[in-house]
Amino acid sequence: MKNYKIKILIILGLVLSYSCEDYLNQSPESVIDEVEVFSSFKNAQGFVEEMYASVVAYEVQAHTFQDFLLGDDGHVNREVKISGDIDAGNFNAVISDSYSYFNNHLSSEYGLTGTNSANVDNINNFNRQRPGLYDGSLRGIRKANIVIANIDLMVNASQEEKDVLLGQAYFFRAFFHNEIMKFWGRYPYIDRVLIEDFEIPRPETYKEVALLANEDYKRAIELLPVDWDNETYGQLTFGENKGRLTKGTAYAFQGKNLLLAASPLMFGNNGSVNTYQYDTELCDMAVDAFAGILKLADQGRYGLASWENYDEVFWKTATPNAWPGGTEYVFSAGGGNQDQAERFMTSGVNRDIHGSISESISPTHNYIHNNFGMSNGLSIEDDLSGAYGTPLFNPTKPFENRDPRFYRWHIIDGQEVAPKATGVDAQHRFAQLWYENTSNAGIHRRTIFDNKKSTTGYMWTKFYPKVDGEYHSKWNNIIGQYSGMRMHMRLTDVYLMYAEALHASKGATTAPASYNLTAEAAINLFRDRAGIPNVHPSIVGDSNKFMDELRRERAVELSYEAHRWVDIRRWGLAHLDKYKRKLALDFPEDRTSFTERLIVERICEFPQHYWLPFEAKQTRIYEGFPQNPGW
């Protein structure tokens, strides 16, 4: 996506603060000349581009070891920083740590002085110098409100140009509220440019904020195009419009906003939580929203990637350094600095193999064991129950007969990873992930002598290039041709959320009036793609068990894409032992025995550790802004 650049906009929004008071209580006239900004479509779109630049790329907007998997799915090989603080229940450190994507990186001035100044002209070039999620979202909300308030100044613009500017502004106003709400909960809906009086009480429920966001998404759907390349204004950046907002984007996020609001945690409103209890009214609304983008998929605008082409979603592109996503692409934070992208892409693999300076995020054994099931389509738990036929899982051979996605997105012990490694490096040809004790382990497994290796017995490769059967490595340097990218939304996620909302409201086998697809059929799309059997009929017939299976499918398909921490919280599960225990799998070199070992017992109490706390000064701006429970 090409950035419009106009000098007047470089200054906008560079006064940074975590304080809602300092940032929002600022007259727009003191920063910009609205008449000049809205004098032409090009200038106004340049202003809108700054909202795109405030979208946080979770995977590259933290420190160099890319500490972005915050649920039960990953373990960073240094038990510090963000995921470590979350595991320890130390959320106050999370909201103040400059290494987190929630906050401004190292208190950067974002272009005010020094070497950072060049990055403001192309803020996509170095994601870590974007504002953090909280501050950036406030910036985005304010800018959206400025566009909405000043659209009538555009006397020289066509109606289509005004519509697309407004459509983007309404979308971003809702989206940036949602970004804050995912982590902090209910938040005042700021629907005007705040100059002096901004004493907006914190809403009583998440739902009432979500419904206000829903209205903005509806406006965005009416105003945004299906495809920028087909519009006159889109010809200015023809062929480079992939990252721009469209009707499909707005439908997808409208549905997500409603599903999150309907989820058990939000439905319980910090009271008691029943993981199978949803707000069915909101679920029905979410289903209808998702139906909007699924109909566009049926028309050819989007499409699920095939198993053969699935790498195109994550890293593989026909053109070097192009955006991935393929036909599943809906929305992302954009491209970025290639070095940062490569650190993200290699973050699941031992640095001795790839040669990058990236630290490692090891997939936890508990996450893999509980979610990546068997080739018969069953979870390991269900397979071992014997209720569905002869079990395939053999505890003495845990890497055999698994779901094909287990092999596609993981490196396991003994797997060939660097066939071109020779001489002294030949020891790296095969993954050595065995572990007996802290001083006796495979060379790719962490010991007391080296903390830059796998801590769990696995590596993950979802965004890691593999061409002609061979991974990127120091001996097969192919990574520079690709730019892996984690998307905020892709079509697989849409189908999964559609199925969840539909099942919560109408069950597994009933299609809604808005779209002819049942929840069962939606989930089986992914089973068919991976080449495993459909969901077992007895599971489909048990409402709670089918919801569990749907969630397991989501954990597999969206593994390592930074959705997990939000999911286990919104489902009201994060405080249960199953989701608090991070495990490693230990076994000797000859793999004659396998032992689960606890590496982290997460501290998570309900409801305290379900929401990040606000900084104290945020809650002291005015009366009526209470802190989150437990803080």
Side-chain angles (χ1 to χ4, degrees):
M1 180 176 69
K2 183 180 293 183
N3 287 322
Y4 294 86
K5 304 182 184 73
I6 51 177
K7 292 181 180 179
I8 195 169
L9 301 179
I10 293 176
I11 302 173
L12 179 65
L14 296 181
V15 180
L16 298 181
S17 171
Y18 290 111
S19 167
C20 183
E21 178 179 22
D22 293 342
Y23 182 68
L24 294 175
N25 187 21
Q26 184 177 2
S27 172
E29 291 80 9
S30 68
V31 183
I32 62 172
D33 181 344
E34 292 103 322
V35 173
E36 183 170 355
V37 169
F38 295 98
S39 63
S40 70
F41 175 74
K42 185 175 181 180
N43 280 15
Q45 183 62 32
F47 182 80
V48 170
E49 293 298 311
E50 295 192 354
M51 288 183 256
Y52 287 92
S54 291
V55 178
V56 168
Y58 299 175
E59 75 278 17
V60 294
Q61 207 159 324
H63 193 44
T64 55
F65 51 81
Q66 315 306 343
D67 193 359
F68 69 98
L69 299 181
L70 308 180
D72 62 335
D73 48 345
H75 181 248
V76 177
N77 60 6
R78 290 194 287 183
E79 292 87 351
V80 293
K81 304 305 176 190
I82 306 311
S83 62
D85 285 331
I86 288 175
D87 288 346
N90 187 11
F91 284 14
N92 280 310
V94 173
I95 65 167
S96 61
D97 196 320
S98 61
Y99 289 98
S100 167
Y101 65 73
F102 294 115
N103 304 313
N104 299 329
H105 184 71
L106 298 178
S107 301
S108 171
E109 293 296 327
Y110 303 105
L112 282 179
T113 59
T115 59
N116 289 349
S117 59
N119 294 318
V120 177
D121 286 332
N122 186 7
I123 200 165
N124 273 330
N125 189 49
F126 202 61
N127 302 78
R128 281 170 55 193
Q129 289 182 352
R130 293 179 176 185
L133 186 143
Y134 189 81
D135 184 75
S137 295
L138 292 181
R139 290 164 170 271
I141 292 167
R142 180 173 179 81
K143 290 174 183 180
N145 282 325
I146 289 173
V147 172
I148 294 167
N150 290 281
I151 196 67
D152 289 339
L153 294 177
M154 297 200 66
V155 295
N156 297 319
S158 68
Q159 188 60 49
E160 290 77 13
E161 290 171 335
K162 291 180 181 179
D163 286 349
V164 76
L165 290 168
L166 275 177
Q168 292 171 95
Y170 281 122
F171 175 92
F172 276 126
R173 185 163 72 180
F175 172 83
F176 284 121
H177 278 93
N178 285 164
E179 284 292 275
I180 293 175
M181 291 160 64
K182 284 193 301 186
F183 301 106
W184 279 271
R186 53 198 170 89
Y187 196 78
Y189 204 78
I190 304 165
D191 59 0
R192 63 186 185 277
V193 181
L194 300 180
I195 298 175
E196 294 179 356
D197 179 15
F198 56 91
E199 293 190 8
I200 309 173
R202 191 177 182 195
E204 292 296 322
T205 67
Y206 190 106
K207 179 177 181 177
E208 58 189 283
V209 193
L211 288 175
L212 293 172
N214 184 57
E215 293 302 311
D216 276 351
Y217 283 127
K218 287 164 62 177
R219 296 185 186 101
I221 290 165
E222 293 173 358
L223 298 167
L224 289 170
V226 171
D227 187 337
W228 277 64
D229 282 354
N230 295 335
E231 305 297 330
T232 302
Y233 50 76
Q235 300 306 299
L236 293 169
T237 48
F238 184 83
E240 298 179 343
N241 290 315
K242 183 171 185 176
R244 299 198 186 281
L245 299 177
T246 64
K247 285 189 190 297
T249 315
Y251 275 126
F253 280 92
Q254 179 193 22
K256 182 174 183 177
N257 168 59
L258 293 165
L259 175 60
L260 263 61
S263 295
L265 173 66
M266 292 72 162
F267 185 62
N269 200 33
N270 297 326
S272 60
V273 61
N274 176 345
T275 191
Y276 300 114
Q277 188 172 19
Y278 288 71
D279 185 319
T280 56
E281 178 185 9
L282 290 181
C283 283
D284 287 336
M285 294 169 64
V287 167
D288 291 343
F290 292 131
I293 184 174
L294 295 181
K295 290 174 183 176
L296 292 175
D298 292 342
Q299 297 166 16
R301 172 62 181 162
Y302 307 94
L304 288 178
S306 68
W307 183 251
E308 292 73 23
N309 296 326
Y310 212 0
D311 290 337
E312 294 178 3
V313 173
F314 309 114
W315 59 268
K316 192 174 184 179
T317 54
T319 305
N321 300 316
W323 286 16
T327 57
E328 290 208 15
Y329 182 94
V330 178
F331 187 64
S332 73
N337 178 281
Q338 181 65 17
D339 288 342
Q340 288 292 296
E342 290 183 14
R343 290 174 183 175
F344 158 61
M345 296 165 75
T346 59
S347 60
V349 178
N350 186 283
R351 70 160 62 177
D352 286 342
I353 296 172
H354 55 69
S356 170
I357 65 172
S358 175
E359 301 290 347
S360 296
I361 311 170
S362 301
T364 57
H365 173 65
N366 51 283
Y367 184 74
I368 292 174
H369 184 83
N370 292 335
N371 296 297
F372 284 86
M374 307 304 296
S375 60
N376 58 14
L378 297 171
S379 67
I380 291 177
E381 180 182 7
D382 285 339
D383 179 73
L384 287 176
S385 73
Y388 306 93
T390 303
L392 290 182
F393 184 75
N394 183 346
T396 67
K397 298 178 180 180
F399 304 145
E400 296 185 2
N401 300 315
R402 301 294 292 273
D403 184 320
R405 294 168 289 187
F406 169 77
Y407 303 108
R408 183 156 193 157
W409 296 326
H410 299 98
I411 290 173
I412 57 177
D413 184 65
Q415 181 176 339
E416 187 175 46
V417 291
K420 293 180 182 178
T422 59
V424 68
D425 290 334
Q427 60 184 329
H428 296 293
R429 179 176 176 180
F430 297 94
Q432 298 183 46
L433 293 164
W434 56 273
Y435 179 98
E436 292 190 6
N437 54 58
T438 56
S439 59
N440 185 24
I443 60 173
H444 302 127
R445 190 73 183 269
R446 176 179 177 173
T447 66
I448 58 174
F449 306 110
D450 191 340
N451 69 353
K452 299 179 178 67
K453 301 179 179 181
S454 172
T455 60
T456 64
Y458 305 89
M459 293 183 275
W460 62 278
T461 62
K462 201 167 198 180
F463 299 88
Y464 194 62
K466 185 178 183 180
V467 177
D468 295 330
E470 186 175 350
Y471 286 112
H472 162 75
S473 70
K474 290 186 291 185
W475 312 277
N476 181 43
N477 190 357
I478 58 175
I479 199 169
Q481 303 171 47
Y482 307 103
S483 296
M485 181 175 66
R486 174 259 177 199
M487 284 171 279
H488 278 277
M489 183 74 72
R490 63 185 181 95
L491 192 61
T492 287
D493 191 6
V494 173
Y495 276 105
L496 288 164
M497 291 189 292
Y498 169 88
E500 180 182 347
L502 179 56
H503 176 59
S505 175
K506 291 182 169 58
T509 59
T510 300
S514 55
Y515 193 66
N516 188 27
L517 185 72
T518 67
E520 177 190 13
I523 295 306
N524 285 333
L525 291 172
F526 309 117
R527 304 295 188 98
D528 293 341
R529 174 165 65 184
I532 61 174
N534 290 343
V535 182
H536 196 281
S538 65
I539 294 176
V540 175
D542 183 323
S543 179
N544 289 354
K545 196 160 184 57
F546 183 77
M547 181 63 79
D548 293 340
E549 191 70 358
L550 189 155
R551 292 172 178 175
R552 186 175 73 86
E553 194 69 27
R554 180 175 177 84
V556 171
E557 281 289 340
L558 299 183
S559 56
Y560 318 120
E561 296 182 44
H563 296 287
R564 182 65 173 177
W565 193 48
V566 173
D567 283 341
I568 61 175
R569 289 187 299 111
R570 70 181 179 88
W571 293 332
L573 299 173
H575 65 291
L576 303 181
D577 287 344
K578 181 178 180 179
Y579 303 90
K580 289 167 61 175
R581 294 168 58 82
K582 290 188 176 183
L583 303 176
L585 185 65
D586 295 343
F587 47 93
E589 187 172 5
D590 61 6
R591 283 179 264 171
T592 54
S593 63
F594 294 86
T595 305
E596 293 180 342
R597 173 170 52 89
L598 179 68
I599 49 177
V600 172
E601 179 78 36
R602 308 180 79 200
I603 295 175
C604 183
E605 301 295 333
F606 176 82
Q608 180 180 13
H609 297 107
Y610 273 71
W611 302 113
L612 292 176
F614 291 96
E615 283 192 316
K617 64 182 180 181
Q618 173 74 50
T619 64
R620 296 170 184 162
I621 296 174
Y622 53 83
E623 293 184 5
F625 199 103
Q627 182 60 275
N628 277 325
W631 303 104

